[in-house]
Amino acid sequence: MAQHPQLPKWTEIAEKQMKGKSVETLSWMTPEGIKVKPLYTAEDLEGMESANTLPGMAPYVRGPMATMYTGRPWTIRQYAGFSTAKESNAFYHKALAAGQKGLSVAFDLATHRGYDSDHPRVAGDIGKAGVAIDSVEDMKILFNGIPLDQMSVSMTMNGAVIPILAGYIVAAEEQGVAHDKLEGTIQNDILKEYLTRNTYIYPPTPSMRVISDIMAYCSREMPKYNTISISGYHMMEAGANSVLQTAFTLADGVEYVKAALKSGMDVDTFAPRLSFFFGIGMNFFMDIAMLRAARFLWYRLMSQFNPKNAKSSMLRTHCQTSGWSLTEQDPHNNIIRTTLEAMTAALGGTQSLHTNSFDEAIGLPTDFSARIARNTQIIIQEESQICHVIDPLGGSYYLESLTNSIINESQKIIDEINELGGMAKAIESGMPKMRIEESAARKQARIDQGLDVIVGVNKYKLANEKIDFEVREVPATVRDEQIARIKEIKASRDNVAVERALADLTNAAKNGGNLLEAALPAVRARATVGEISTAMESVFGRFVATTRCISGAYSSEYTGDNNAVTAIKQRTNVFLEKQGRRPRLLVTKMGQDGHDRGFKVVASAYADLGFDVDISPMFQTPEEAAKMAIENDVHLVGASSLAAGHKSLIPALIEELKKIGGGEILVVAGGIIPPGDYDFLYKAGVKAIFGPGTPIPESADKTLALLEEKYLQ
Amino acid sequence: MLNDPQHYVTGVLNRDRLTLARTITLIESTHPNHQQLAQTIVDRLLPYTGRGIRIGITGVPGAGKSTYIERFGTMLTGLGHRVAVLAIDPSSSRSGGSILGDKTRMERLAVDPNAFIRPSPSGGTLGGVGRKTRETMLVCEAAGYDVVIIETVGVGQSETTVASMVDFFLVLMIAGAGDELQGMKKGVLEVADAIVINKADGDNLLRAEIAQKEYQTALHMRMANSPNWCPPVLTCSAVEGKGIDKIWETILDHRDKLTVSGEMAEKRKTQALDWMAFLIDEGLRHWFYTSPHVREALPTLRRNVEENKTSPTAAADSLLAFLYTRNGR
Ligand SMILES: Nc1nc2c(ncn2[C@@H]2O[C@H](COP(=O)(O)OP(=O)(O)OP(=O)(O)O)[C@@H](O)[C@H]2O)c(=O)[nH]1
Ligand SMILES: [Mg+2]
């Protein structure tokens, strides 16, 4: 079919409406670099391999299952966990009673990084942003009253996968549940941790071995269990656009397949148990197309391994709405954002979905906000009637074109990765991380200029922000409770047996043997998560990240003249002239929170604005951050906190600075900090607090004003 | 900022981290008052300097300099040394600030009580790197750091400046990049006291060994610049910590050989003289260009040269003539 016969006529009418301007000017360039035209027609679909296919059949563009939601809607799977196992367990019971289907466990950062709650490095992290698990005793409390042979349990764990998965298995054993009855998913996707979230423990090579060992053990013992959830979500949250998310996630997937094949497995024994996890942002059609494109590409990529089982090349995915897209400002708008994103995931054909609570940019979900989030999905499933048709947007000229564009653009990046020798090598080269950070910096610049609109943040701002709902906090006693239980366990167990089991595990790490299998006796003997991690760390070492920051991306996106930015640049120059050096600040992340997007975007943007910016390594203690501030002689420290550790870590930093003579150094804070805590922090000496979504020029202006007040008077 | 120089002098000699850091800030400052103060401080500290081993490390971006220093530095503190690291970031432009991320790759050394790491923006002035880094190095020595390491990226001129202030100049290379020598000026190799091929690990091991041979050949073809030292080509893996101790042995060996022969003392003397010459050059330029007469006459002369009204020689002569008339200022 050629051009629509009437198209020239349409162009004519359209241009008349536009007072003579060309329709070309209505085209939009997406952040992915895809040109979107104002109108699509049948002509656009000509010769397109991905269009006009059927669901449940290769290449699965329209869905992995033949009947999709007409048979059964996606699984509502809400990710939750906080403070103690007991509290989380109570929350799960409530959620299940209210219509939730599977469980999804969030762990605290100390657990992720393989530290017990009594470890001095993690004092600020216990029970924050997830549940603290120190031993199988905690695991048993977590699943108390939840029959593990009947409940699909998904666990977001990547670093401490061995002790946690082993803990789950042993908790089930002690419930009397056989291994082959266990159903669920462990995230176990370590590669993306090196890219974005940084909750790894060991270096890449032993980490890949851990994954292969888990795949091998589960394919034998737990055939219904998904051994990995290959995740793009965190890349999106770190700033990756949809093409980057697709390409990097699938490339990670290929790397895992290769690792498993190398360890001697047959592709059809493990590939059907691979699952994916995509993040869904606010670009509605783009992300619908993304899920469709990802299925097509996975089918294509898997064909190189010649699987016999169709399921081996069928991409099944969990999705989560974007936490990053939620705003602290006018937070009820987040309900609408989440609804749109949930629709995207549904129209894209997800297998399960987590919808965020509207208060997540402010604090941990409450019973109320969790209910609204859950009901968002239930209402789409049960009231909107969209589940009656499979892939209802299939055949849309626009959507199919977009799907095809994502396929092509992602393939280009995948080819680039292949040239670098695969994803593990690409990660070593730093390429994927740089791309994601560049994408994030550009996004921030677009938002700060108002080119990307965020209601309540850079447009239609409220004059007075007021929190008129309850905000959940983690009680300060969690750490003490956990420490008490660790003491109890260590006093009551057979320590000789524990030592022996741990030595066996170390031996397996050194000389070969399945690590998951080797960890089970240690868990049964009540070894802690920290002890088990250390037993392997003594052989593998602990990985230290390389932090690189790109510069220039922020300001290069800042086109046109912008008064706010120019003014700040001038002021930093004046500061330089009067003080003999640029305003110098240290941006730091304390505790085990590895989300480094905000802190890097800030670093590179501030440098572009004329500040000298020191960046600290991640996972700092307040003492370490203070030493660095003193040594580099900065004017100001900016502490970024996204994981609820702010109330202990930031005041500790201020105290430490005073103690070692750096009392003059100003401290500001940024990230997810409940407004209810602002006063507490101001009293502790914090000079300014910047919530998520604060435009960079705004925070830079305030920061600079503080310094000018102090030094230029 | 306190204005009493003795406060800084005492603090530095007492090995107080905070005072050392602030003294470096004064040295780096472009503010005339700070510069004057810094000058006094450095002068008073001078008698306490000179006892450290001064090591310069250069290499292309990403060669692994910071990772190497992390390993090397922690090894040294483990041996009982006190280590100062000065990391110069020349990537900053005049208009913008810098991102100073070196410590993210020196995670253990950064928290080591026996280490002091100071990343510095160069602010786009190369001459500045020379002066500031040298003085900072001296102050670190006075504060009891017996090994001072200067990290600089080998893409500009900064590395030869650094080479002229250290005892041992180490060039870190990586295998495989054939165009590397072009990216990095040949001159750097001429001042190298050792070449180390980093990242000799994993798949890269063989390539590193091949590169080692190549550099060995290349080094043999050039004139030795010391009668007592023939620069070796070594390999190491900063990530795995292999070959690091060998490099330290080499540095000590170099020091012994040059000390025994008296060359080290000569070298430091020459460096001090070069340094004086540099300062005179810089001072003259500064004096010249800031004198009212030159400031007034220069714009017109430049225009005349541009428009071909005056020859460059004549213009320069007329300005320089002013040097000889003593009432220039
Ligand atoms: N395989 C391997 N990688 C290394 C080694 N040393 C450093 N790297 C990696 O190379 C990258 C760059 O290392 P850096 O130490 O930051 O290099 P640098 O020369 O200081 O870089 P700039 O300061 O940016 O010029 C990092 O990703 C390191 O992990 C090594 O011995 N082996
Ligand atoms: Mg470096």
mmCIF file of all heavy atoms in Angstrom, chain A residues 425 544 547 578 580-582 584 607 611-613 615 624 627 630-633 661, chain B residues 17 21 25 29-31 94 97-98 100 103 107 110-111 116-119 121 203:
data_model
loop_
_atom_site.group_PDB
_atom_site.id
_atom_site.type_symbol
_atom_site.label_atom_id
_atom_site.label_comp_id
_atom_site.label_asym_id
_atom_site.label_seq_id
_atom_site.Cartn_x
_atom_site.Cartn_y
_atom_site.Cartn_z
ATOM 1 N N LYS A 425 31.371 -6.999 29.982
ATOM 2 C CA LYS A 425 32.497 -6.189 29.499
ATOM 3 C C LYS A 425 32.072 -4.730 29.313
ATOM 4 O O LYS A 425 32.826 -3.816 29.630
ATOM 5 C CB LYS A 425 33.009 -6.742 28.161
ATOM 6 C CG LYS A 425 33.822 -8.020 28.309
ATOM 7 C CD LYS A 425 35.291 -7.669 28.506
ATOM 8 C CE LYS A 425 36.173 -8.883 28.701
ATOM 9 N NZ LYS A 425 35.781 -9.795 29.763
ATOM 10 N N VAL A 544 34.240 -2.725 45.196
ATOM 11 C CA VAL A 544 34.238 -1.280 45.376
ATOM 12 C C VAL A 544 33.927 -0.631 44.044
ATOM 13 O O VAL A 544 34.561 -0.916 43.034
ATOM 14 C CB VAL A 544 35.613 -0.798 45.873
ATOM 15 C CG1 VAL A 544 35.623 0.708 45.996
ATOM 16 C CG2 VAL A 544 35.941 -1.450 47.202
ATOM 17 N N THR A 547 33.040 5.455 40.821
ATOM 18 C CA THR A 547 32.042 6.484 40.534
ATOM 19 C C THR A 547 32.602 7.426 39.490
ATOM 20 O O THR A 547 33.659 8.001 39.683
ATOM 21 C CB THR A 547 31.702 7.283 41.791
ATOM 22 O OG1 THR A 547 31.429 6.348 42.822
ATOM 23 C CG2 THR A 547 30.505 8.172 41.571
ATOM 24 N N LYS A 578 36.165 37.075 44.875
ATOM 25 C CA LYS A 578 36.282 37.622 46.231
ATOM 26 C C LYS A 578 36.956 36.649 47.201
ATOM 27 O O LYS A 578 37.632 37.067 48.128
ATOM 28 C CB LYS A 578 34.900 37.971 46.769
ATOM 29 C CG LYS A 578 34.242 39.066 45.959
ATOM 30 C CD LYS A 578 33.294 39.888 46.801
ATOM 31 C CE LYS A 578 32.841 41.107 46.035
ATOM 32 N NZ LYS A 578 31.429 41.415 46.278
ATOM 33 N N GLY A 580 38.862 33.912 46.234
ATOM 34 C CA GLY A 580 40.065 33.269 45.732
ATOM 35 C C GLY A 580 39.855 31.838 45.290
ATOM 36 O O GLY A 580 40.786 31.164 44.858
ATOM 37 N N ARG A 581 38.666 31.344 45.428
ATOM 38 C CA ARG A 581 38.344 30.014 44.884
ATOM 39 C C ARG A 581 36.845 29.908 44.706
ATOM 40 O O ARG A 581 36.074 30.696 45.262
ATOM 41 C CB ARG A 581 38.834 28.901 45.802
ATOM 42 C CG ARG A 581 38.236 28.934 47.197
ATOM 43 C CD ARG A 581 38.600 27.655 47.925
ATOM 44 N NE ARG A 581 38.136 27.630 49.285
ATOM 45 C CZ ARG A 581 37.917 26.502 49.967
ATOM 46 N NH1 ARG A 581 38.104 25.328 49.381
ATOM 47 N NH2 ARG A 581 37.500 26.536 51.208
ATOM 48 N N ARG A 582 36.453 28.930 43.910
ATOM 49 C CA ARG A 582 35.027 28.725 43.666
ATOM 50 C C ARG A 582 34.361 28.169 44.919
ATOM 51 O O ARG A 582 35.029 27.549 45.743
ATOM 52 C CB ARG A 582 34.839 27.732 42.519
ATOM 53 C CG ARG A 582 35.365 28.264 41.210
ATOM 54 C CD ARG A 582 35.032 27.376 40.029
ATOM 55 N NE ARG A 582 35.318 28.119 38.820
ATOM 56 C CZ ARG A 582 34.515 29.036 38.309
ATOM 57 N NH1 ARG A 582 33.338 29.273 38.867
ATOM 58 N NH2 ARG A 582 34.857 29.700 37.235
ATOM 59 N N ARG A 584 33.029 25.552 47.046
ATOM 60 C CA ARG A 584 33.368 24.140 46.916
ATOM 61 C C ARG A 584 32.455 23.327 47.813
ATOM 62 O O ARG A 584 32.304 23.637 48.990
ATOM 63 C CB ARG A 584 34.832 23.939 47.324
ATOM 64 C CG ARG A 584 35.319 22.518 47.148
ATOM 65 C CD ARG A 584 36.833 22.466 47.132
ATOM 66 N NE ARG A 584 37.296 21.093 46.960
ATOM 67 C CZ ARG A 584 38.551 20.752 46.716
ATOM 68 N NH1 ARG A 584 39.481 21.674 46.613
ATOM 69 N NH2 ARG A 584 38.881 19.487 46.569
ATOM 70 N N ALA A 607 28.636 21.543 38.935
ATOM 71 C CA ALA A 607 29.931 21.840 38.318
ATOM 72 C C ALA A 607 29.712 22.717 37.090
ATOM 73 O O ALA A 607 30.440 23.683 36.866
ATOM 74 C CB ALA A 607 30.661 20.559 37.948
ATOM 75 N N PHE A 611 30.426 25.589 40.447
ATOM 76 C CA PHE A 611 30.881 25.124 41.758
ATOM 77 C C PHE A 611 31.988 24.102 41.542
ATOM 78 O O PHE A 611 32.009 23.416 40.524
ATOM 79 C CB PHE A 611 29.755 24.401 42.506
ATOM 80 C CG PHE A 611 28.608 25.269 42.954
ATOM 81 C CD1 PHE A 611 27.622 25.667 42.065
ATOM 82 C CD2 PHE A 611 28.512 25.668 44.279
ATOM 83 C CE1 PHE A 611 26.557 26.452 42.482
ATOM 84 C CE2 PHE A 611 27.451 26.452 44.708
ATOM 85 C CZ PHE A 611 26.461 26.847 43.807
ATOM 86 N N ASP A 612 32.894 23.981 42.503
ATOM 87 C CA ASP A 612 33.788 22.833 42.515
ATOM 88 C C ASP A 612 33.118 21.776 43.371
ATOM 89 O O ASP A 612 32.766 22.033 44.519
ATOM 90 C CB ASP A 612 35.147 23.206 43.098
ATOM 91 C CG ASP A 612 36.008 23.966 42.091
ATOM 92 O OD1 ASP A 612 35.800 23.767 40.868
ATOM 93 O OD2 ASP A 612 36.866 24.756 42.503
ATOM 94 N N VAL A 613 32.920 20.609 42.786
ATOM 95 C CA VAL A 613 32.123 19.606 43.476
ATOM 96 C C VAL A 613 32.957 18.366 43.771
ATOM 97 O O VAL A 613 33.444 17.699 42.856
ATOM 98 C CB VAL A 613 30.907 19.185 42.617
ATOM 99 C CG1 VAL A 613 30.009 18.253 43.415
ATOM 100 C CG2 VAL A 613 30.130 20.394 42.148
ATOM 101 N N ILE A 615 32.959 14.574 45.066
ATOM 102 C CA ILE A 615 31.998 13.515 45.345
ATOM 103 C C ILE A 615 32.667 12.447 46.188
ATOM 104 O O ILE A 615 33.821 12.091 45.965
ATOM 105 C CB ILE A 615 31.368 12.913 44.071
ATOM 106 C CG1 ILE A 615 32.425 12.626 43.022
ATOM 107 C CG2 ILE A 615 30.344 13.843 43.481
ATOM 108 C CD1 ILE A 615 31.827 12.097 41.733
ATOM 109 N N GLU A 624 33.472 9.195 58.043
ATOM 110 C CA GLU A 624 34.251 9.228 56.805
ATOM 111 C C GLU A 624 33.916 10.464 55.975
ATOM 112 O O GLU A 624 34.801 11.123 55.421
ATOM 113 C CB GLU A 624 34.001 7.953 55.994
ATOM 114 C CG GLU A 624 34.576 6.715 56.654
ATOM 115 C CD GLU A 624 34.018 5.409 56.098
ATOM 116 O OE1 GLU A 624 33.092 5.440 55.272
ATOM 117 O OE2 GLU A 624 34.524 4.347 56.509
ATOM 118 N N LYS A 627 35.577 13.505 57.529
ATOM 119 C CA LYS A 627 37.022 13.556 57.273
ATOM 120 C C LYS A 627 37.274 14.119 55.869
ATOM 121 O O LYS A 627 38.133 14.969 55.669
ATOM 122 C CB LYS A 627 37.633 12.155 57.390
ATOM 123 C CG LYS A 627 39.123 12.128 56.998
ATOM 124 C CD LYS A 627 39.759 10.735 57.110
ATOM 125 C CE LYS A 627 41.262 10.753 56.855
ATOM 126 N NZ LYS A 627 41.695 10.300 55.542
ATOM 127 N N ILE A 630 36.660 17.888 55.618
ATOM 128 C CA ILE A 630 37.745 18.657 56.235
ATOM 129 C C ILE A 630 38.968 18.675 55.334
ATOM 130 O O ILE A 630 39.567 19.702 55.072
ATOM 131 C CB ILE A 630 38.144 17.977 57.567
ATOM 132 C CG1 ILE A 630 37.007 18.074 58.568
ATOM 133 C CG2 ILE A 630 39.436 18.540 58.110
ATOM 134 C CD1 ILE A 630 37.007 19.330 59.337
ATOM 135 N N GLU A 631 39.318 17.501 54.862
ATOM 136 C CA GLU A 631 40.544 17.350 54.084
ATOM 137 C C GLU A 631 40.463 18.141 52.777
ATOM 138 O O GLU A 631 41.418 18.769 52.352
ATOM 139 C CB GLU A 631 40.710 15.862 53.769
ATOM 140 C CG GLU A 631 42.113 15.393 53.732
ATOM 141 C CD GLU A 631 42.147 13.871 53.804
ATOM 142 O OE1 GLU A 631 41.972 13.206 52.762
ATOM 143 O OE2 GLU A 631 42.333 13.345 54.913
ATOM 144 N N ASN A 632 39.303 18.088 52.139
ATOM 145 C CA ASN A 632 39.146 18.806 50.878
ATOM 146 C C ASN A 632 38.821 20.276 51.139
ATOM 147 O O ASN A 632 38.702 21.053 50.212
ATOM 148 C CB ASN A 632 38.048 18.164 50.041
ATOM 149 C CG ASN A 632 38.402 16.752 49.612
ATOM 150 O OD1 ASN A 632 39.351 16.174 50.135
ATOM 151 N ND2 ASN A 632 37.660 16.199 48.673
ATOM 152 N N ASP A 633 38.630 20.613 52.393
ATOM 153 C CA ASP A 633 38.310 21.980 52.818
ATOM 154 C C ASP A 633 37.156 22.572 52.017
ATOM 155 O O ASP A 633 37.313 23.579 51.335
ATOM 156 C CB ASP A 633 39.556 22.872 52.732
ATOM 157 C CG ASP A 633 39.367 24.156 53.543
ATOM 158 O OD1 ASP A 633 38.427 24.205 54.355
ATOM 159 O OD2 ASP A 633 40.155 25.110 53.339
ATOM 160 N N GLY A 661 36.634 19.957 64.159
ATOM 161 C CA GLY A 661 37.034 21.319 63.835
ATOM 162 C C GLY A 661 36.394 21.906 62.590
ATOM 163 O O GLY A 661 36.743 22.991 62.160
ATOM 164 N N ARG B 17 45.232 17.904 60.605
ATOM 165 C CA ARG B 17 44.633 17.704 59.284
ATOM 166 C C ARG B 17 43.878 18.944 58.803
ATOM 167 O O ARG B 17 43.990 19.369 57.655
ATOM 168 C CB ARG B 17 43.678 16.514 59.376
ATOM 169 C CG ARG B 17 43.252 15.911 58.077
ATOM 170 C CD ARG B 17 42.360 14.698 58.331
ATOM 171 N NE ARG B 17 43.093 13.589 58.910
ATOM 172 C CZ ARG B 17 43.793 12.714 58.188
ATOM 173 N NH1 ARG B 17 43.830 12.806 56.891
ATOM 174 N NH2 ARG B 17 44.446 11.746 58.784
ATOM 175 N N ALA B 21 44.744 21.264 55.603
ATOM 176 C CA ALA B 21 43.766 21.456 54.529
ATOM 177 C C ALA B 21 43.564 22.942 54.243
ATOM 178 O O ALA B 21 43.520 23.374 53.093
ATOM 179 C CB ALA B 21 42.443 20.807 54.905
ATOM 180 N N THR B 25 44.337 25.385 50.941
ATOM 181 C CA THR B 25 43.362 26.305 50.354
ATOM 182 C C THR B 25 43.984 27.679 50.123
ATOM 183 O O THR B 25 43.787 28.289 49.082
ATOM 184 C CB THR B 25 42.131 26.420 51.273
ATOM 185 O OG1 THR B 25 41.559 25.133 51.419
ATOM 186 C CG2 THR B 25 41.092 27.371 50.693
ATOM 187 N N SER B 29 44.527 29.571 46.554
ATOM 188 C CA SER B 29 43.664 30.731 46.357
ATOM 189 C C SER B 29 44.241 31.716 45.341
ATOM 190 O O SER B 29 45.447 31.910 45.251
ATOM 191 C CB SER B 29 43.457 31.441 47.690
ATOM 192 O OG SER B 29 42.706 32.609 47.498
ATOM 193 N N THR B 30 43.359 32.334 44.590
ATOM 194 C CA THR B 30 43.791 33.360 43.644
ATOM 195 C C THR B 30 43.727 34.748 44.281
ATOM 196 O O THR B 30 44.029 35.736 43.640
ATOM 197 C CB THR B 30 42.890 33.360 42.393
ATOM 198 O OG1 THR B 30 41.530 33.504 42.821
ATOM 199 C CG2 THR B 30 43.030 32.079 41.610
ATOM 200 N N HIS B 31 43.327 34.808 45.525
ATOM 201 C CA HIS B 31 43.186 36.097 46.195
ATOM 202 C C HIS B 31 44.561 36.606 46.652
ATOM 203 O O HIS B 31 45.306 35.875 47.293
ATOM 204 C CB HIS B 31 42.263 35.919 47.406
ATOM 205 C CG HIS B 31 41.734 37.200 47.929
ATOM 206 N ND1 HIS B 31 42.516 38.093 48.606
ATOM 207 C CD2 HIS B 31 40.492 37.748 47.862
ATOM 208 C CE1 HIS B 31 41.784 39.139 48.943
ATOM 209 N NE2 HIS B 31 40.542 38.947 48.491
ATOM 210 N N ARG B 94 37.853 27.234 32.455
ATOM 211 C CA ARG B 94 37.856 28.476 33.203
ATOM 212 C C ARG B 94 36.443 28.865 33.644
ATOM 213 O O ARG B 94 36.235 29.376 34.721
ATOM 214 C CB ARG B 94 38.425 29.573 32.313
ATOM 215 C CG ARG B 94 39.419 30.466 32.981
ATOM 216 C CD ARG B 94 40.002 31.398 31.939
ATOM 217 N NE ARG B 94 40.987 30.692 31.116
ATOM 218 C CZ ARG B 94 42.300 30.745 31.354
ATOM 219 N NH1 ARG B 94 42.747 31.422 32.377
ATOM 220 N NH2 ARG B 94 43.153 30.120 30.577
ATOM 221 N N GLY B 97 33.014 24.931 37.048
ATOM 222 C CA GLY B 97 33.711 24.305 38.152
ATOM 223 C C GLY B 97 34.172 22.920 37.742
ATOM 224 O O GLY B 97 34.095 22.555 36.579
ATOM 225 N N SER B 98 34.634 22.179 38.716
ATOM 226 C CA SER B 98 35.127 20.831 38.427
ATOM 227 C C SER B 98 34.356 19.805 39.223
ATOM 228 O O SER B 98 33.839 20.108 40.287
ATOM 229 C CB SER B 98 36.583 20.684 38.837
ATOM 230 O OG SER B 98 37.345 21.705 38.303
ATOM 231 N N LEU B 100 35.268 16.657 41.290
ATOM 232 C CA LEU B 100 36.474 16.072 41.861
ATOM 233 C C LEU B 100 36.100 14.720 42.454
ATOM 234 O O LEU B 100 35.581 14.645 43.564
ATOM 235 C CB LEU B 100 37.034 17.021 42.909
ATOM 236 C CG LEU B 100 37.322 18.424 42.327
ATOM 237 C CD1 LEU B 100 37.263 19.486 43.386
ATOM 238 C CD2 LEU B 100 38.650 18.437 41.605
ATOM 239 N N LYS B 103 38.495 10.560 44.999
ATOM 240 C CA LYS B 103 38.413 9.743 46.206
ATOM 241 C C LYS B 103 37.434 8.586 46.061
ATOM 242 O O LYS B 103 37.502 7.634 46.820
ATOM 243 C CB LYS B 103 38.013 10.608 47.396
ATOM 244 C CG LYS B 103 39.153 11.467 47.853
ATOM 245 C CD LYS B 103 38.949 11.962 49.259
ATOM 246 C CE LYS B 103 39.942 13.063 49.529
ATOM 247 N NZ LYS B 103 39.790 13.625 50.864
ATOM 248 N N GLU B 107 38.800 4.518 47.923
ATOM 249 C CA GLU B 107 37.878 4.421 49.034
ATOM 250 C C GLU B 107 38.568 4.071 50.349
ATOM 251 O O GLU B 107 38.270 4.647 51.386
ATOM 252 C CB GLU B 107 36.818 3.376 48.694
ATOM 253 C CG GLU B 107 35.583 3.530 49.503
ATOM 254 C CD GLU B 107 34.411 2.780 48.896
ATOM 255 O OE1 GLU B 107 34.466 2.427 47.701
ATOM 256 O OE2 GLU B 107 33.463 2.524 49.620
ATOM 257 N N ALA B 110 41.130 6.801 51.364
ATOM 258 C CA ALA B 110 40.464 8.044 51.783
ATOM 259 C C ALA B 110 40.126 8.031 53.267
ATOM 260 O O ALA B 110 40.065 9.073 53.897
ATOM 261 C CB ALA B 110 39.206 8.275 50.946
ATOM 262 N N VAL B 111 39.887 6.864 53.834
ATOM 263 C CA VAL B 111 39.516 6.818 55.248
ATOM 264 C C VAL B 111 40.692 6.368 56.120
ATOM 265 O O VAL B 111 40.555 6.196 57.317
ATOM 266 C CB VAL B 111 38.303 5.890 55.483
ATOM 267 C CG1 VAL B 111 37.105 6.421 54.714
ATOM 268 C CG2 VAL B 111 38.583 4.462 55.077
ATOM 269 N N PHE B 116 46.448 11.403 53.506
ATOM 270 C CA PHE B 116 45.800 12.684 53.282
ATOM 271 C C PHE B 116 45.663 12.837 51.769
ATOM 272 O O PHE B 116 46.640 12.788 51.036
ATOM 273 C CB PHE B 116 46.665 13.813 53.845
ATOM 274 C CG PHE B 116 46.078 15.179 53.677
ATOM 275 C CD1 PHE B 116 45.314 15.738 54.682
ATOM 276 C CD2 PHE B 116 46.277 15.897 52.502
ATOM 277 C CE1 PHE B 116 44.755 17.003 54.525
ATOM 278 C CE2 PHE B 116 45.719 17.162 52.340
ATOM 279 C CZ PHE B 116 44.961 17.710 53.359
ATOM 280 N N ILE B 117 44.427 12.972 51.297
ATOM 281 C CA ILE B 117 44.225 13.076 49.856
ATOM 282 C C ILE B 117 43.569 14.412 49.548
ATOM 283 O O ILE B 117 42.557 14.761 50.136
ATOM 284 C CB ILE B 117 43.308 11.958 49.327
ATOM 285 C CG1 ILE B 117 43.816 10.601 49.806
ATOM 286 C CG2 ILE B 117 43.228 12.004 47.809
ATOM 287 C CD1 ILE B 117 42.915 9.453 49.405
ATOM 288 N N ARG B 118 44.145 15.126 48.621
ATOM 289 C CA ARG B 118 43.552 16.412 48.294
ATOM 290 C C ARG B 118 43.401 16.529 46.780
ATOM 291 O O ARG B 118 44.380 16.696 46.066
ATOM 292 C CB ARG B 118 44.440 17.535 48.806
ATOM 293 C CG ARG B 118 43.949 18.919 48.462
ATOM 294 C CD ARG B 118 42.673 19.275 49.195
ATOM 295 N NE ARG B 118 42.388 20.674 48.942
ATOM 296 C CZ ARG B 118 42.262 21.609 49.883
ATOM 297 N NH1 ARG B 118 42.340 21.263 51.146
ATOM 298 N NH2 ARG B 118 42.041 22.863 49.565
ATOM 299 N N PRO B 119 42.162 16.444 46.299
ATOM 300 C CA PRO B 119 41.938 16.693 44.885
ATOM 301 C C PRO B 119 41.847 18.200 44.650
ATOM 302 O O PRO B 119 41.265 18.909 45.458
ATOM 303 C CB PRO B 119 40.570 16.053 44.619
ATOM 304 C CG PRO B 119 40.071 15.548 45.936
ATOM 305 C CD PRO B 119 40.935 16.105 47.017
ATOM 306 N N PRO B 121 41.133 21.389 41.795
ATOM 307 C CA PRO B 121 40.801 21.855 40.451
ATOM 308 C C PRO B 121 41.960 22.722 39.984
ATOM 309 O O PRO B 121 42.516 23.486 40.766
ATOM 310 C CB PRO B 121 39.551 22.701 40.684
ATOM 311 C CG PRO B 121 39.639 23.145 42.103
ATOM 312 C CD PRO B 121 40.454 22.136 42.852
ATOM 313 N N ASP B 203 41.703 -11.178 30.711
ATOM 314 C CA ASP B 203 41.935 -11.335 29.270
ATOM 315 C C ASP B 203 43.072 -10.449 28.780
ATOM 316 O O ASP B 203 43.556 -10.598 27.670
ATOM 317 C CB ASP B 203 40.682 -10.917 28.479
ATOM 318 C CG ASP B 203 39.471 -11.713 28.900
ATOM 319 O OD1 ASP B 203 39.674 -12.716 29.614
ATOM 320 O OD2 ASP B 203 38.350 -11.331 28.527
#
